[in-house]
Amino acid sequence: MKDQNDENGVEPTWNYVPYQTPPKRKPRPNNFKPRGFSTSEWTIPNQIPIPEEKLTISFARASGAGGQNVNKVETKVELRFHVDSATWIPAEVRGRLKTNEPNRISKEGYFLVTSQEHRTQVNNRKDAIKKLENILKTSWPRPKVRKMRKGLSKKAKENRKEDKKKISMKKQSRGKVDF
C-alpha cells in the first residue's frame, strides 16, 4: 500500500523507528563508598560481650511502692565500671560514651547504670546489663562525616548571571516603543 506522497515523488519527513530497550545500568564497583559516611571500616556488633567480672555490682533497697518487700529486700542493682580503664570497650567508643552520656559518669570517671523495675535481684541485674548493652550500642556507630557547604559553584554563578541578563532584557523590551 503506497501513500499519496510517494506517487508525487515526495518522500515522507519521518520514518518508523522500532522501540529499543534502554541499556542496562552498570553495577557499582566494590570499592564504592556512599557519600556522608566515614571511609574506614567499622561494624556495629549484634551483641556486645560485657565481662561481668570487670563490673562492680552492688545492691540497695529500691524506692517506690511495694510494701514490706521494698523495706526488707535489697533489689535495686547498681552497675559501675571505670570508663578509662575499661579495655573491653574500644577507646573510640569510650570517648563517644563520655560525650553522649555525661550525666551517668561520676567525677571519678565511673559509669553508673541502675535498675529497680523488678522485684528480684536477678531480674534487675539482667535488666541493668541489658541497659548497659543498649547504651554501648548507641555510642558504638561513628558519627557521619558532614561537609560544610561552601556556597555556589562557578558554573552555578555563571548560569545565575545568564538568567539575570535574560530577565533584564525581557523587562527592558516591555518599555515604550518609538516609531
Side-chain angles (χ1 to χ4, degrees):
M1 203 172 164
K2 284 192 173 183
D3 197 14
Q4 286 181 350
N5 294 335
D6 288 343
E7 294 171 2
N8 298 336
V10 178
E11 292 188 25
T13 56
W14 58 273
N15 289 332
Y16 173 74
V17 178
Y19 175 76
Q20 295 177 347
T21 57
K24 300 220 177 202
R25 289 177 64 190
K26 293 178 184 175
R28 287 184 171 155
N30 290 341
N31 60 357
F32 175 77
K33 300 287 184 214
R35 211 172 127 211
F37 295 97
S38 60
T39 55
S40 60
E41 295 296 322
W42 183 260
T43 56
I44 303 163
N46 294 334
Q47 191 170 10
I48 299 168
I50 299 171
E52 291 190 30
E53 64 273 0
K54 303 267 181 164
L55 302 174
T56 306
I57 301 173
S58 60
F59 303 99
R61 290 188 182 146
S63 63
Q68 291 178 340
N69 189 56
V70 168
N71 298 333
K72 291 193 298 185
V73 184
E74 295 186 344
T75 56
K76 178 181 174 183
V77 175
E78 293 180 346
L79 291 180
R80 293 175 191 268
F81 66 92
H82 195 261
V83 178
D84 292 328
S85 62
T87 54
W88 49 277
I89 304 172
E92 188 177 335
V93 178
R94 278 183 270 159
R96 281 196 289 274
L97 199 63
K98 287 178 184 178
T99 56
N100 293 349
E101 303 284 340
N103 296 334
R104 291 184 183 267
I105 300 173
S106 66
K107 291 178 184 176
E108 295 84 28
Y110 283 94
F111 193 87
L112 176 68
V113 179
T114 61
S115 176
Q116 59 181 3
E117 274 88 62
H118 304 284
R119 285 177 59 95
T120 62
Q121 280 186 0
V122 175
N123 288 344
N124 280 334
R125 185 177 181 154
K126 287 177 185 176
D127 188 49
I129 290 173
K130 193 178 286 187
K131 279 183 183 180
L132 177 61
E133 188 175 351
N134 288 337
I135 291 167
L136 288 174
K137 279 185 181 178
T138 55
S139 296
W140 206 279
R142 286 182 174 157
K144 289 183 179 180
V145 177
R146 301 193 186 276
K147 293 182 181 179
M148 289 295 292
R149 192 168 166 268
K150 295 180 182 176
L152 298 173
S153 64
K154 287 183 181 180
K155 186 74 176 175
K157 285 180 184 176
E158 288 174 14
N159 290 341
R160 201 160 161 260
K161 281 185 180 179
E162 291 287 326
D163 291 343
K164 281 186 165 186
K165 283 180 186 174
K166 286 179 185 175
I167 291 170
S168 72
M169 293 296 288
K170 185 195 305 181
K171 289 188 176 186
Q172 283 177 1
S173 69
R174 292 179 185 159
K176 292 184 180 180
V177 180
D178 291 333
F179 288 108

